[in-house]
Amino acid sequence: LAIGAVSPNPVFSSMLTKFGLASICGYQTVWGVTPALHSPLMSVTNAISGLTAVGGMVLAGGGVIPGNAAQGLAALAVVASAVNIGGGFTITQRMLDMFKRPDDPIEHNNLYAIPGAALLAGWAVGRYMGIDEVTSATYLVSSALCIAAIACLSKQESARTGNALGLIGVSGGVVATLGGLNTD
């Protein structure tokens, strides 16, 4: 309560609240991870943290070609984050494949492309219809999928699902941001 009383403005209080809730959620999610799944969890978390690509895209000024040094650095951050994203999911899948037993049932991970495509198609239709709020809704769904991915990676039985959910969440966030860029 004391922090709220001395808060400089409501925006600060709002950001502090979100930071506090995110910290609590993150701690509760990661605390229950079994030691064998720590490395896959960390590589997916690394990929999700690669969403700094979204921040870089926003800071790049909305254009395709950087116009100044700050936009050039933002573009460089996007490239580095893209490597982080792709590498994180690739390494996670390879680590999870190491845990695979010969008697495990056949997986149909490619079917996760269906809800991913539905998310992106819903966003595209909403943008085409001029519904600006669909981008915020896509960000919300993508964030929830990333959180669910981390939660799923806490158990061996759901770790592969977690990798797929994280991939869908990150893809949704990046595509929604790219689609919202101004290419003038």
Side-chain angles (χ1 to χ4, degrees), residues 28-104:
Q28 291 298 324
T29 301
V30 174
W31 186 253
V33 175
T34 58
L37 292 174
H38 185 265
S39 292
L41 173 70
M42 294 316 296
S43 62
V44 164
T45 304
N46 190 33
I48 291 171
S49 74
L51 278 176
T52 53
V54 173
M57 285 186 259
V58 171
L59 293 174
V64 177
I65 298 174
N68 56 37
Q71 291 176 351
L73 288 172
L76 186 62
V78 170
V79 171
S81 294
V83 170
N84 202 18
I85 292 168
F89 287 117
T90 302
I91 296 300
T92 298
Q93 189 60 46
R94 286 188 176 183
M95 282 189 245
L96 292 173
D97 286 344
M98 291 185 335
F99 292 114
K100 202 172 193 178
R101 295 177 298 254
D103 58 340
D104 282 347

Side-chain angles (χ1 to χ4, degrees), residues 14-26:
S14 175
M15 288 190 298
L16 186 62
T17 301
K18 291 173 188 169
F19 176 74
L21 290 172
S23 298
I24 292 168
C25 289

